Amino acid sequence: SRRERKSDMKRKLVVSCARLLSCAPERSSAGDPLGAVDDGAVLVDGGTIAALGSASELRAAHPDVLHVDHRGLLSPGLVDAHTHAAWVGSRAGEYALRMRGADYEAIARAGGGIAASTRALRAASLGELTAALEARLGRMASLGVTTVEVKSGYGLDETSERRQLEAVAALSERPDLPALVPTFLGLHAAPPERGGDRDAHARDCLRWLEGIARDGLARYVDAYVDRSAFSVAQARPLLERARELGLGVRLHAGQFADVGAAELAAELGAASADHLEHLSEAGAMALAEAGVHAVLLPLASFTLGQAPPPIERLRRAGVALVVASDSNPGTAPSESLPLAMALGLRSYGLEVAEVWLGATRHAARSLGSEAGVLRAGAPADLVLWDLPREEDVLQPWGVARTRAVLRAGELIAGTLGG
Ligand code: NIG
Ligand code: FE
């Protein structure tokens, strides 16, 4: 087949580096949680990591293959496990109002917020939306991101929700962009034609889900379960149906108030509960027991001026922590997972290793992906940083500090020469 021929043609190469972060549990220990290898190297073959070891050994064992001698840090490609990247338009006016003290939930009640992005989305063709998403994903790649979860949730009618997911599907074929994971977030807001009737919109979403699942347009279903959004009772039927259809669940949980979304996530065996600024002790225990990942979104709480989630409570309970960008035009008008990681360290008080695992191994696991670690058999998703150590990457650079970014062994940003 064409695909086999293409992967045969993929070259073998050895990438050696001053310091490698495997992020693999089998290489990590209490003193070395990221499983680092100084003077390490990976052998890439056919889009996959074929071997990992010391630079001198791998170089000696494979003298005839292309050899990239990187003097800096090498890490797994970053995994952004929560984005609303399929958006068009701008809400800069609202942002300015909020910076002068206006309230996010009040703006939404007055017809702005998500509804403003819905108006822009509905006016955009599939081509326009796909072009906006493509450009955004290219910029994310340049920052070191090789896997991106993308939610719908700005269409809010069947055609427009599907259009968002179709844009994701179209770009999923592209080897020169990050790998994509699509999520149906119909329960983001009730659309204007429903006059804000959330019960009616939840019934609509339940109907649309059948076709979305049948057409393979989503791997996860998300719902915004909060005091100004959907209740647990309104969200449950859709999420239960999603599980029956073999889809995973992720939830916007406790961003403004704890209305029981964490317990719902646990009950449904969700892959993740996200935001969690408001989370009880019982909620944290429920997440831990059910193996639900906590997806932390420091860019959103930064622009909203919120206090961080109860990190120590999550740690003590033993919940796996993920750090993501939440990239969206309202609460996180940014495309930078590295900036979210920097804020995870600075504003949330996470440890360096917690941030790294949260944007690599834990993020990938929350998406059912084999990426996020460097080990034999994993996809060759690699970032060659122009920085020496893991701590350097977590400073708030605000610009790309990548030299080269590979997805499945192919360059998607930067250059291997020079
Ligand atoms: O993750 N609060 C709900 N959803 C998004 C924001 C969406 C928007 O404002 O457009 C969030 O913060
Ligand atoms: Fe979000």
Side-chain angles (χ1 to χ4, degrees), residues 133-173:
L133 178 59
E134 177 185 355
R136 187 161 291 130
L137 293 170
R139 292 189 293 267
M140 289 175 163
S142 73
L143 295 166
V145 177
T146 53
T147 301
V148 182
E149 185 260 13
V150 184
K151 303 175 194 300
S152 68
Y154 292 127
L156 303 182
D157 61 33
E158 186 173 18
T159 321
S160 312
E161 282 292 305
R162 288 183 63 108
R163 189 154 71 246
Q164 284 191 282
L165 296 170
E166 280 158 11
V168 177
L171 296 175
S172 297
E173 312 283 316

Side-chain angles (χ1 to χ4, degrees), residues 106-329:
I107 288 172
R109 277 195 298 275
I114 294 166
S117 291
T118 296
R119 288 189 288 275
L121 191 285
R122 288 181 178 181
S125 67
L126 176 61
E128 288 163 343
L129 175 59
T130 307
L133 178 59
E134 177 185 355
R136 187 161 291 130
L137 293 170
R139 292 189 293 267
M140 289 175 163
S142 73
L143 295 166
V145 177
T146 53
T147 301
V148 182
E149 185 260 13
V150 184
K151 303 175 194 300
S152 68
Y154 292 127
L156 303 182
D157 61 33
E158 186 173 18
T159 321
S160 312
E161 282 292 305
R162 288 183 63 108
R163 189 154 71 246
Q164 284 191 282
L165 296 170
E166 280 158 11
V168 177
L171 296 175
S172 297
E173 312 283 316
R174 290 272 300 271
D176 56 335
L177 292 173
L180 303 180
V181 179
T183 296
F184 173 50
L185 173 56
L187 292 189
H188 202 192
E193 61 274 17
R194 279 300 187 190
D197 183 342
R198 295 192 185 109
D199 291 297
H201 181 60
R203 287 192 294 275
D204 290 339
C205 285
L206 196 50
R207 275 204 322 281
W208 307 340
L209 177 62
E210 302 299 322
I212 286 170
R214 185 192 56 233
D215 297 337
L217 284 171
R219 293 236 296 269
Y220 292 91
V221 174
D222 193 343
Y224 179 18
V225 177
D226 215 309
R227 68 178 178 199
S228 314
F230 295 86
S231 68
V232 164
Q234 285 165 335
R236 186 185 269 115
L238 178 73
L239 301 171
E240 283 178 346
R241 184 64 188 140
R243 299 302 272 141
E244 284 168 15
L245 291 168
L247 301 176
V249 166
R250 328 181 71 79
L251 286 185
H252 280 69
Q255 186 180 15
F256 296 99
D258 183 357
V259 299
E263 285 83 352
L264 177 65
E267 174 195 322
L268 294 166
S272 73
D274 306 31
H275 287 289
L276 300 172
E277 280 79 1
H278 301 269
L279 175 71
S280 70
E281 184 72 34
M285 295 304 293
L287 293 179
E289 229 159 90
V292 181
H293 296 79
V295 178
L296 306 174
L297 304 166
L299 277 162
S301 55
F302 170 71
T303 82
L304 291 166
Q306 292 179 316
I311 300 297
E312 191 49 38
R313 176 171 284 172
L314 286 162
R315 273 194 195 117
R316 269 204 322 271
V319 181
L321 304 180
V322 174
V323 178
S325 73
D326 200 12
S327 180
N328 77 73

